[in-house]
Amino acid sequence: MKAAVLYGINEALTIEDVAIPELADDEVLVKLKAASLNKRDWWIQKGQYAGLKFPIIIGSDGAGVVEATGKNVDENLKGKKAIIYFMKNWGNNERFQSQDAIMLGLPENGCLAEFVKVKADQIFSKPANLSFEETAALPVAGVTAYRALFTKGECKQGDKVLISGVGGGAGSFALQFAVAAEAEVWITSSSDEKISKAVAAGAKGGVNYRMENWDKKLSDEAGYFDVIIDSALGDGFANLAGLAARGGRIVFFGGTAGNLPPLNGRPIFWKQISILGTTGGSPSDFKNMLAFIEEKNIHPFIDAVFSLDDAEKAIRTMDSSAGKFGKVVLSIS
Ligand SMILES: NC(=O)c1ccc[n+]([C@@H]2O[C@H](COP(=O)([O-])OP(=O)(O)OC[C@H]3O[C@@H](n4cnc5c(N)ncnc54)[C@H](OP(=O)(O)O)[C@@H]3O)[C@@H](O)[C@H]2O)c1
Protein backbone atom coordinates (compact mmCIF):
# COMPACT_ATOMS: atom_id res chain seq x y z
CA MET A 1 0.00 0.00 0.00
CA LYS A 2 1.02 3.61 -0.46
CA ALA A 3 1.95 5.50 2.73
CA ALA A 4 3.60 8.76 3.81
CA VAL A 5 6.47 7.65 6.04
CA LEU A 6 8.44 9.85 8.45
CA TYR A 7 12.03 8.62 8.92
CA GLY A 8 13.33 11.14 11.43
CA ILE A 9 13.20 14.61 12.95
CA ASN A 10 12.80 17.35 10.33
CA GLU A 11 12.78 14.77 7.51
CA ALA A 12 10.28 15.26 4.70
CA LEU A 13 7.37 12.79 4.53
CA THR A 14 8.33 10.11 1.99
CA ILE A 15 5.70 8.45 -0.18
CA GLU A 16 6.46 4.76 -0.58
CA ASP A 17 5.05 1.26 -0.84
CA VAL A 18 4.81 -0.56 2.49
CA ALA A 19 3.12 -3.80 3.55
CA ILE A 20 -0.60 -3.74 4.35
CA PRO A 21 -0.87 -4.18 8.16
CA GLU A 22 -1.63 -7.70 9.43
CA LEU A 23 -4.64 -7.95 11.70
CA ALA A 24 -4.75 -9.28 15.26
CA ASP A 25 -7.97 -11.12 16.16
CA ASP A 26 -9.66 -8.03 17.66
CA GLU A 27 -8.65 -5.61 14.89
CA VAL A 28 -10.13 -4.35 11.63
CA LEU A 29 -8.50 -3.05 8.48
CA VAL A 30 -9.84 0.26 7.17
CA LYS A 31 -9.39 1.32 3.56
CA LEU A 32 -8.92 5.05 4.07
CA LYS A 33 -10.79 7.53 1.90
CA ALA A 34 -9.42 10.61 3.66
CA ALA A 35 -7.18 11.70 6.53
CA SER A 36 -6.47 15.03 8.17
CA LEU A 37 -3.49 16.70 9.82
CA ASN A 38 -3.24 18.10 13.31
CA LYS A 39 -0.65 20.30 14.94
CA ARG A 40 0.40 17.04 16.68
CA ASP A 41 1.70 15.68 13.35
CA TRP A 42 3.66 18.87 12.84
CA TRP A 43 5.17 18.71 16.37
CA ILE A 44 6.15 15.05 15.74
CA GLN A 45 7.95 15.96 12.51
CA LYS A 46 9.75 18.78 14.38
CA GLY A 47 10.83 16.29 17.05
CA GLN A 48 8.89 18.14 19.75
CA TYR A 49 6.60 15.35 20.93
CA ALA A 50 6.99 12.71 23.64
CA GLY A 51 7.74 9.09 22.68
CA LEU A 52 9.16 9.69 19.20
CA LYS A 53 10.00 6.60 17.14
CA PHE A 54 10.93 6.16 13.50
CA PRO A 55 10.03 5.15 10.90
CA ILE A 56 6.40 6.03 11.56
CA ILE A 57 3.28 6.62 9.48
CA ILE A 58 1.83 9.69 11.18
CA GLY A 59 -1.79 10.85 11.12
CA SER A 60 -4.33 10.39 13.92
CA ASP A 61 -7.41 11.26 11.87
CA GLY A 62 -8.98 9.03 9.26
CA ALA A 63 -12.24 7.99 7.64
CA GLY A 64 -12.93 5.17 5.23
CA VAL A 65 -14.56 1.79 4.75
CA VAL A 66 -13.91 -1.36 6.79
CA GLU A 67 -12.14 -3.77 4.41
CA ALA A 68 -11.41 -6.79 6.61
CA THR A 69 -12.06 -8.02 10.15
CA GLY A 70 -9.96 -10.07 12.60
CA LYS A 71 -11.12 -13.52 13.76
CA ASN A 72 -12.93 -12.25 16.86
CA VAL A 73 -14.67 -9.31 15.19
CA ASP A 74 -18.24 -9.32 13.86
CA GLU A 75 -17.91 -9.82 10.08
CA ASN A 76 -20.89 -7.51 9.54
CA LEU A 77 -18.54 -4.60 10.13
CA LYS A 78 -17.12 -5.25 6.65
CA GLY A 79 -18.24 -2.50 4.27
CA LYS A 80 -19.13 -0.09 7.11
CA LYS A 81 -18.49 3.59 6.38
CA ALA A 82 -16.34 4.50 9.34
CA ILE A 83 -14.74 7.32 11.27
CA ILE A 84 -11.83 6.18 13.41
CA TYR A 85 -11.56 7.09 17.11
CA PHE A 86 -7.82 7.71 17.36
CA MET A 87 -7.30 6.56 20.94
CA LYS A 88 -6.74 3.02 22.14
CA ASN A 89 -7.27 2.05 25.78
CA TRP A 90 -8.92 5.21 27.12
CA GLY A 91 -10.00 3.11 30.09
CA ASN A 92 -13.02 3.26 32.39
CA ASN A 93 -12.74 6.73 33.85
CA GLU A 94 -14.52 9.53 32.01
CA ARG A 95 -12.33 12.11 33.78
CA PHE A 96 -8.98 10.99 32.36
CA GLN A 97 -7.41 8.42 30.03
CA SER A 98 -5.62 5.36 31.44
CA GLN A 99 -1.85 5.07 31.54
CA ASP A 100 -2.07 2.54 28.71
CA ALA A 101 -3.86 4.98 26.38
CA ILE A 102 -2.06 5.44 23.06
CA MET A 103 -2.80 7.35 19.89
CA LEU A 104 -2.88 6.44 16.26
CA GLY A 105 -0.04 8.07 14.33
CA LEU A 106 2.52 7.66 17.18
CA PRO A 107 3.32 5.21 18.65
CA GLU A 108 1.12 3.15 16.27
CA ASN A 109 1.16 3.66 12.51
CA GLY A 110 -1.55 6.12 11.51
CA CYS A 111 -3.75 7.34 8.71
CA LEU A 112 -1.45 8.89 6.08
CA ALA A 113 -1.74 5.64 4.14
CA GLU A 114 -4.13 3.64 2.01
CA PHE A 115 -4.93 1.27 4.88
CA VAL A 116 -4.76 1.42 8.67
CA LYS A 117 -5.50 -1.23 11.29
CA VAL A 118 -7.33 -0.36 14.51
CA LYS A 119 -9.23 -2.19 17.22
CA ALA A 120 -12.85 -2.88 16.34
CA ASP A 121 -14.03 -0.62 19.18
CA GLN A 122 -12.27 2.34 17.54
CA ILE A 123 -14.74 2.18 14.64
CA PHE A 124 -17.71 4.56 14.75
CA SER A 125 -20.31 5.25 12.05
CA LYS A 126 -19.47 8.07 9.67
CA PRO A 127 -21.91 10.98 10.19
CA ALA A 128 -24.52 10.73 7.43
CA ASN A 129 -24.42 14.48 6.71
CA LEU A 130 -20.68 14.61 5.94
CA SER A 131 -18.42 13.61 3.05
CA PHE A 132 -15.41 11.39 3.82
CA GLU A 133 -13.14 14.43 3.65
CA GLU A 134 -15.29 16.33 6.14
CA THR A 135 -15.48 13.24 8.35
CA ALA A 136 -11.69 12.87 8.38
CA ALA A 137 -11.42 16.48 9.62
CA LEU A 138 -13.23 15.60 12.84
CA PRO A 139 -11.49 13.21 15.20
CA VAL A 140 -8.70 14.91 17.21
CA ALA A 141 -9.56 18.58 16.78
CA GLY A 142 -13.30 17.94 16.95
CA VAL A 143 -13.44 15.83 20.08
CA THR A 144 -10.82 17.95 21.86
CA ALA A 145 -12.91 21.06 21.25
CA TYR A 146 -16.12 19.20 22.16
CA ARG A 147 -14.76 17.93 25.48
CA ALA A 148 -13.15 21.30 26.30
CA LEU A 149 -16.37 23.18 25.64
CA PHE A 150 -19.04 20.87 27.01
CA THR A 151 -17.56 18.15 29.25
CA LYS A 152 -15.01 20.41 30.97
CA GLY A 153 -16.33 23.91 30.30
CA GLU A 154 -19.99 22.95 30.92
CA CYS A 155 -21.07 25.33 28.16
CA LYS A 156 -24.82 25.77 27.88
CA GLN A 157 -27.28 27.90 25.92
CA GLY A 158 -26.86 31.61 26.66
CA ASP A 159 -23.34 31.29 28.14
CA LYS A 160 -20.81 33.82 27.02
CA VAL A 161 -17.89 31.94 25.41
CA LEU A 162 -14.46 33.15 24.28
CA ILE A 163 -12.36 31.11 21.84
CA SER A 164 -8.78 32.24 21.41
CA GLY A 165 -7.05 31.62 18.07
CA VAL A 166 -10.24 30.73 16.19
CA GLY A 167 -8.51 29.96 12.87
CA GLY A 168 -6.92 26.72 14.10
CA GLY A 169 -8.41 23.28 13.58
CA ALA A 170 -9.56 22.90 17.19
CA GLY A 171 -10.48 26.60 17.50
CA SER A 172 -12.73 26.50 14.44
CA PHE A 173 -14.59 23.46 15.85
CA ALA A 174 -15.00 25.19 19.22
CA LEU A 175 -16.58 28.13 17.36
CA GLN A 176 -19.03 25.92 15.46
CA PHE A 177 -20.00 23.86 18.53
CA ALA A 178 -20.53 26.90 20.77
CA VAL A 179 -22.64 28.64 18.11
CA ALA A 180 -24.70 25.46 17.60
CA ALA A 181 -25.25 25.28 21.38
CA GLU A 182 -26.67 28.83 21.20
CA ALA A 183 -23.96 30.37 23.35
CA GLU A 184 -22.90 33.98 22.78
CA VAL A 185 -19.52 33.46 21.13
CA TRP A 186 -16.58 35.85 20.93
CA ILE A 187 -13.23 35.04 19.42
CA THR A 188 -9.65 36.23 19.05
CA SER A 189 -7.49 35.79 15.98
CA SER A 190 -4.34 37.07 14.28
CA SER A 191 -6.25 38.53 11.34
CA ASP A 192 -9.28 40.70 10.71
CA GLU A 193 -10.32 38.44 7.80
CA LYS A 194 -10.54 35.46 10.16
CA ILE A 195 -12.54 37.52 12.64
CA SER A 196 -15.00 38.41 9.84
CA LYS A 197 -15.20 34.75 8.85
CA ALA A 198 -15.96 33.74 12.44
CA VAL A 199 -18.65 36.43 12.67
CA ALA A 200 -20.19 35.12 9.44
CA ALA A 201 -20.27 31.69 11.12
CA GLY A 202 -22.21 33.05 14.09
CA ALA A 203 -19.70 34.68 16.45
CA LYS A 204 -20.90 37.93 17.98
CA GLY A 205 -17.52 39.63 17.54
CA GLY A 206 -13.80 39.39 18.11
CA VAL A 207 -10.48 41.15 18.50
CA ASN A 208 -7.03 40.70 17.03
CA TYR A 209 -4.72 39.22 19.69
CA ARG A 210 -1.76 41.00 18.08
CA MET A 211 -3.19 44.40 19.07
CA GLU A 212 -1.94 46.14 22.24
CA ASN A 213 -4.48 45.84 25.06
CA TRP A 214 -6.67 43.45 23.07
CA ASP A 215 -8.11 42.14 26.31
CA LYS A 216 -9.30 45.62 27.38
CA LYS A 217 -10.97 46.15 23.99
CA LEU A 218 -12.64 42.77 24.26
CA SER A 219 -13.99 43.29 27.79
CA ASP A 220 -15.22 46.78 26.83
CA GLU A 221 -17.22 45.25 23.97
CA ALA A 222 -18.22 41.90 25.38
CA GLY A 223 -18.00 41.96 29.18
CA TYR A 224 -16.95 38.77 30.94
CA PHE A 225 -16.95 35.13 29.83
CA ASP A 226 -18.42 32.01 31.40
CA VAL A 227 -16.23 29.69 29.30
CA ILE A 228 -12.85 30.44 27.71
CA ILE A 229 -11.24 27.91 25.35
CA ASP A 230 -7.52 28.30 24.70
CA SER A 231 -4.86 26.26 22.92
CA ALA A 232 -2.13 28.89 22.71
CA LEU A 233 -0.90 29.60 26.28
CA GLY A 234 2.00 32.11 25.95
CA ASP A 235 1.82 35.68 27.25
CA GLY A 236 -1.82 36.17 26.17
CA PHE A 237 -2.97 33.51 28.63
CA ALA A 238 -2.18 35.88 31.50
CA ASN A 239 -5.13 38.06 30.41
CA LEU A 240 -7.73 35.31 30.49
CA ALA A 241 -8.49 35.32 34.22
CA GLY A 242 -9.27 39.04 33.97
CA LEU A 243 -11.72 38.27 31.15
CA ALA A 244 -13.47 35.45 32.98
CA ALA A 245 -16.81 35.95 34.73
CA ARG A 246 -17.39 34.88 38.33
CA GLY A 247 -17.42 31.08 38.36
CA GLY A 248 -15.85 31.06 34.86
CA ARG A 249 -14.05 28.04 33.39
CA ILE A 250 -10.81 28.51 31.43
CA VAL A 251 -10.09 25.28 29.54
CA PHE A 252 -6.82 24.70 27.67
CA PHE A 253 -5.26 21.83 25.72
CA GLY A 254 -2.25 23.18 23.85
CA GLY A 255 0.70 25.54 23.92
CA THR A 256 1.08 26.84 20.36
CA ALA A 257 2.38 30.23 21.56
CA GLY A 258 4.54 29.03 24.45
CA ASN A 259 4.13 27.98 28.04
CA LEU A 260 2.14 29.18 31.04
CA PRO A 261 3.09 32.79 31.81
CA PRO A 262 3.13 34.15 35.39
CA LEU A 263 -0.52 34.55 36.47
CA ASN A 264 -2.12 36.99 38.89
CA GLY A 265 -3.77 34.63 41.36
CA ARG A 266 -6.11 37.16 42.93
CA PRO A 267 -8.84 37.31 40.25
CA ILE A 268 -8.63 33.52 40.00
CA PHE A 269 -9.58 32.87 43.61
CA TRP A 270 -11.76 35.95 44.09
CA LYS A 271 -13.95 35.17 41.07
CA GLN A 272 -13.91 31.41 41.84
CA ILE A 273 -12.42 30.66 38.40
CA SER A 274 -11.46 27.11 37.38
CA ILE A 275 -8.47 26.59 35.10
CA LEU A 276 -8.85 23.17 33.53
CA GLY A 277 -6.49 21.08 31.42
CA THR A 278 -7.95 18.63 28.94
CA THR A 279 -6.68 16.23 26.28
CA GLY A 280 -8.52 14.51 23.44
CA GLY A 281 -11.81 12.98 24.49
CA SER A 282 -13.24 9.73 25.82
CA PRO A 283 -15.18 7.30 23.61
CA SER A 284 -18.38 8.83 25.09
CA ASP A 285 -17.22 12.34 24.18
CA PHE A 286 -16.51 11.05 20.67
CA LYS A 287 -19.94 9.43 20.35
CA ASN A 288 -21.68 12.54 21.71
CA MET A 289 -19.72 14.78 19.34
CA LEU A 290 -20.76 12.70 16.31
CA ALA A 291 -24.42 12.83 17.37
CA PHE A 292 -24.18 16.62 17.93
CA ILE A 293 -22.62 17.10 14.47
CA GLU A 294 -25.44 15.18 12.82
CA GLU A 295 -28.18 16.80 14.88
CA LYS A 296 -26.93 20.34 14.21
CA ASN A 297 -25.76 19.54 10.66
CA ILE A 298 -22.30 20.98 11.29
CA HIS A 299 -19.82 20.94 8.39
CA PRO A 300 -16.18 21.43 9.43
CA PHE A 301 -14.10 24.30 8.10
CA ILE A 302 -11.64 22.77 5.63
CA ASP A 303 -8.79 25.05 4.68
CA ALA A 304 -7.26 22.88 1.96
CA VAL A 305 -7.39 19.38 0.48
CA PHE A 306 -4.27 17.63 -0.84
CA SER A 307 -3.68 14.17 -2.30
CA LEU A 308 -1.73 11.63 -0.24
CA ASP A 309 1.15 12.04 -2.72
CA ASP A 310 1.36 15.68 -1.56
CA ALA A 311 1.46 14.86 2.17
CA GLU A 312 4.70 16.80 2.66
CA LYS A 313 3.28 19.84 0.87
CA ALA A 314 0.20 19.56 3.10
CA ILE A 315 2.13 19.48 6.37
CA ARG A 316 4.29 22.43 5.26
CA THR A 317 1.13 24.57 5.17
CA MET A 318 1.11 24.22 8.97
CA ASP A 319 4.44 26.09 9.27
CA SER A 320 2.38 29.26 9.51
CA SER A 321 -1.24 29.89 10.40
CA ALA A 322 -1.33 33.02 8.20
CA GLY A 323 -4.35 32.93 5.92
CA LYS A 324 -5.51 29.51 7.17
CA PHE A 325 -8.90 28.70 8.65
CA GLY A 326 -9.77 25.18 9.72
CA LYS A 327 -8.38 21.80 8.80
CA VAL A 328 -5.91 20.45 6.25
CA VAL A 329 -7.27 17.25 4.70
CA LEU A 330 -5.71 14.52 2.54
CA SER A 331 -7.87 12.80 -0.02
CA ILE A 332 -6.70 9.18 -0.30
CA SER A 333 -8.89 7.07 -2.54
N1 LIG B 1 -4.18 18.06 24.09
C1 LIG B 1 -4.88 17.67 23.04
O1 LIG B 1 -5.58 16.68 23.02
C2 LIG B 1 -4.83 18.53 21.82
C3 LIG B 1 -5.72 18.28 20.76
C4 LIG B 1 -5.73 19.14 19.67
C5 LIG B 1 -4.81 20.19 19.63
N2 LIG B 1 -3.93 20.36 20.65
C6 LIG B 1 -2.99 21.48 20.65
O2 LIG B 1 -3.76 22.66 20.47
C7 LIG B 1 -3.07 23.56 19.62
C8 LIG B 1 -3.95 23.85 18.41
O3 LIG B 1 -4.03 22.66 17.63
P1 LIG B 1 -4.64 22.71 16.16
O4 LIG B 1 -4.46 21.37 15.56
O5 LIG B 1 -5.98 23.34 16.20
O6 LIG B 1 -3.57 23.68 15.49
P2 LIG B 1 -3.63 24.70 14.28
O7 LIG B 1 -4.75 24.28 13.37
O8 LIG B 1 -2.27 24.80 13.73
O9 LIG B 1 -4.05 26.08 14.98
C9 LIG B 1 -3.18 26.88 15.65
C10 LIG B 1 -3.89 28.22 15.91
O10 LIG B 1 -3.33 28.80 17.06
C11 LIG B 1 -3.69 30.15 17.05
N3 LIG B 1 -2.65 30.95 17.71
C12 LIG B 1 -1.34 31.06 17.37
N4 LIG B 1 -0.73 31.92 18.21
C13 LIG B 1 -1.67 32.37 19.07
C14 LIG B 1 -1.67 33.29 20.17
N5 LIG B 1 -0.56 33.93 20.53
N6 LIG B 1 -2.85 33.50 20.82
C15 LIG B 1 -3.99 32.88 20.45
N7 LIG B 1 -4.04 32.00 19.42
C16 LIG B 1 -2.90 31.75 18.75
C17 LIG B 1 -3.85 30.58 15.58
O11 LIG B 1 -5.15 31.17 15.46
P3 LIG B 1 -5.48 32.28 14.33
O12 LIG B 1 -5.21 31.58 13.04
O13 LIG B 1 -6.92 32.59 14.55
O14 LIG B 1 -4.59 33.44 14.57
C18 LIG B 1 -3.70 29.25 14.84
O15 LIG B 1 -4.59 29.12 13.76
C19 LIG B 1 -1.73 22.92 19.29
O16 LIG B 1 -0.76 23.38 20.20
C20 LIG B 1 -2.00 21.44 19.50
O17 LIG B 1 -0.84 20.73 19.80
C21 LIG B 1 -3.94 19.56 21.74
Side-chain angles (χ1 to χ4, degrees), residues 90 93-97 142-156 159 174 177-178 181 227-229 249-253 274 276-290 292:
W90 174 280
N93 199 323
E94 278 301 314
R95 293 185 59 217
F96 50 85
Q97 70 277 28
V143 80
T144 303
Y146 185 91
R147 180 175 172 88
L149 192 62
F150 297 118
T151 313
K152 298 280 190 148
E154 297 176 33
C155 172
K156 57 185 187 317
D159 274 356
F177 295 162
V227 185
I228 300 179
I229 305 294
R249 285 82 67 200
I250 301 171
V251 190
F252 75 102
F253 48 83
S274 304
L276 302 159
T278 187
T279 276
S282 69
S284 306
D285 291 320
F286 198 72
K287 187 168 150 237
N288 295 340
M289 172 194 68
L290 295 176
F292 187 75

Side-chain angles (χ1 to χ4, degrees), residues 92 119 250 312:
N92 298 323
K119 281 202 170 169
I250 301 171
E312 175 58 21

Side-chain angles (χ1 to χ4, degrees), residues 190-233:
S190 54
S191 92
D192 296 345
E193 288 75 30
K194 294 189 198 188
I195 294 172
S196 301
K197 197 160 184 173
V199 168
K204 186 114 190 246
V207 298
N208 191 319
Y209 59 71
R210 294 209 168 124
M211 262 177 24
E212 284 248 333
N213 301 324
W214 61 265
D215 55 320
K216 167 90 171 61
K217 182 162 190 289
L218 186 59
S219 64
D220 286 350
E221 280 183 38
Y224 298 98
F225 297 95
D226 303 296
V227 185
I228 300 179
I229 305 294
D230 181 83
S231 63
L233 292 179

Side-chain angles (χ1 to χ4, degrees), residues 37-84:
L37 295 174
N38 290 289
K39 201 81 185 183
R40 177 181 200 263
D41 302 303
W42 187 89
W43 293 121
I44 291 169
Q45 192 184 39
K46 293 278 162 208
Q48 292 173 33
Y49 206 89
L52 292 173
K53 63 162 230 200
F54 303 105
I56 182 83
I57 300 171
I58 58 171
S60 308
D61 289 348
V65 177
V66 176
E67 172 91 0
T69 51
K71 273 192 209 139
N72 296 342
V73 177
D74 181 356
E75 279 195 15
N76 291 322
L77 268 186
K78 257 189 227 165
K80 185 182 173 84
K81 292 180 180 169
I83 176 169
I84 298 168

Side-chain angles (χ1 to χ4, degrees), residues 126-148:
K126 168 186 161 296
N129 61 324
L130 301 186
S131 67
F132 277 107
E133 287 168 359
E134 289 173 320
T135 304
L138 294 178
V140 171
V143 80
T144 303
Y146 185 91
R147 180 175 172 88

